[in-house]
Amino acid sequence: MLTALTTFSIVAYLVAGLLLSKRISSPQKMQRRTLIISVLALIGHFTVLATVLTETSLVKINLFTTLALITWLICVFNSARGEHPASLLLRPSIFVLAAMSLFALYVVPADVGRPLEMTPIFALHISLALLASSILTLATLYGIQLLYVNRLLKTHSVKAVSERMPSLMSVEQYFFRLLTAGSVLLALAIIVGFFYLDDIFARGQLHKTILSLAACLSFGAIVVVHYWRGLRGRIAVYCTIIASVLLILGYFGSRFVRDIIIS
């Protein structure tokens, strides 16, 4: 059953990504068909996650389960914007990432990794961290798109004036909205960890805590300087990419060592 669900979701994502790529050149074509396949892919992805989490009783949320959760959230947030050009342009790549995360989840056994004690506070911490990671990852993708659109404008490319290409201002505004929301959620996740989790400064967690805190401060600084001093453009995007790398190293680096190398 799980194999069939995973295969269905992966194929649906890839087909939807292919149709979306074609729709970028012809936005009015296959709109309803693409929407139906995209929704089916999201439902299938969610069902796979629900099945895996139920089978492991929420005590084995390993690296690949986390990746699948984050990519599903990214797909949902991106799809919620509907036909907005900026979101439509990113969606094929996001769907491919989601398909890859599902494939990795299927290949690697769900019971890989150390068991977790899923208390209500830890569940809150994990939920906030997952939401923050997905929103900040999406913000980083929009930041890269911002660099791309800016380059087209500077080189006077024909693509820059195409109706299919999002405006620079709309991409930048949404980029900072995501960055602000993600920074707040990440700060809340860290605050919950500081006050309610006992092992956040444990030997095996210290580097994760330090890197996550550094990432949070970096994201927060970008947002504060943007609203206070008008920081924008390439500098803001480059700083966001650096902060994202810190966050990836802090969380996924430690999970890779714990769930794959040590296990």
Side-chain angles (χ1 to χ4, degrees):
M1 182 64 177
L2 186 59
T3 301
L5 276 172
T6 305
T7 303
F8 170 80
S9 302
I10 291 173
V11 171
Y13 271 131
L14 295 178
V15 171
L18 180 62
L19 293 177
L20 283 164
S21 298
K22 292 182 178 180
R23 285 198 58 223
I24 290 173
S25 58
S26 302
Q28 302 306 318
K29 287 186 178 181
M30 301 177 290
Q31 184 171 347
R32 186 170 181 175
R33 186 185 308 174
T34 306
L35 176 61
I36 292 172
I37 297 175
S38 299
V39 171
L40 289 174
L42 288 170
I43 293 173
H45 192 159
F46 176 81
T47 307
V48 170
L49 286 170
T51 303
V52 170
L53 292 173
T54 301
E55 288 179 351
T56 58
S57 302
L58 294 176
V59 297
K60 284 289 184 72
I61 304 178
N62 60 30
L63 171 66
F64 299 99
T65 308
T66 304
L67 280 172
L69 281 165
I70 289 175
T71 55
W72 182 77
L73 288 170
I74 291 173
C75 288
V76 170
F77 293 145
N78 179 264
S79 299
R81 294 204 81 198
E83 297 296 305
H84 193 282
S87 298
L88 206 59
L89 194 62
L90 281 178
R91 205 164 298 159
S93 300
I94 290 173
F95 279 5
V96 170
L97 288 174
M100 292 171 63
S101 72
L102 281 174
F103 178 75
L105 180 64
Y106 175 72
V107 171
V108 179
D111 58 353
V112 166
R114 296 181 181 178
L116 303 172
E117 185 180 352
M118 191 58 69
T119 63
I121 291 297
F122 187 68
L124 175 63
H125 172 71
I126 287 290
S127 299
L128 289 170
L130 287 172
L131 285 170
S133 298
S134 58
I135 291 174
L136 290 170
T137 301
L138 191 56
T140 305
L141 293 175
Y142 273 97
I144 294 171
Q145 185 182 78
L146 181 63
L147 294 178
Y148 174 67
V149 176
N150 188 50
R151 182 181 178 186
L152 290 180
L153 288 170
K154 286 190 174 183
T155 56
H156 305 288
S157 172
V158 177
K159 291 182 180 179
V161 295
S162 170
E163 63 178 9
R164 302 184 301 271
M165 192 60 57
S167 69
L168 187 67
M169 187 64 69
S170 66
V171 177
E172 187 174 63
Q173 287 177 347
Y174 196 59
F175 163 68
F176 280 111
R177 287 176 193 168
L178 289 171
L179 202 60
T180 303
S183 300
V184 171
L185 286 170
L186 182 59
L188 288 174
I190 291 175
I191 289 171
V192 169
F194 271 126
F195 285 98
Y196 296 104
L197 299 180
D198 296 329
D199 64 342
I200 195 167
F201 288 110
R203 184 176 180 181
Q205 297 285 341
L206 186 58
H207 65 287
K208 173 185 172 182
T209 301
I210 292 173
L211 287 171
S212 298
L213 187 58
C216 183
L217 291 174
S218 301
F219 283 124
I222 297 166
V223 172
V224 169
V225 176
H226 166 68
Y227 289 111
W228 180 40
R229 303 289 293 182
L231 176 68
R232 54 190 300 187
R234 289 183 299 174
I235 296 177
V237 176
Y238 291 149
C239 290
T240 300
I241 293 172
I242 293 171
S244 295
V245 171
L246 290 174
L247 189 62
I248 290 170
L249 289 174
Y251 184 77
F252 291 105
S254 63
R255 293 304 295 266
F256 180 81
V257 171
R258 188 177 71 180
D259 294 344
I260 303 303
I261 296 177
I262 295 178
S263 294

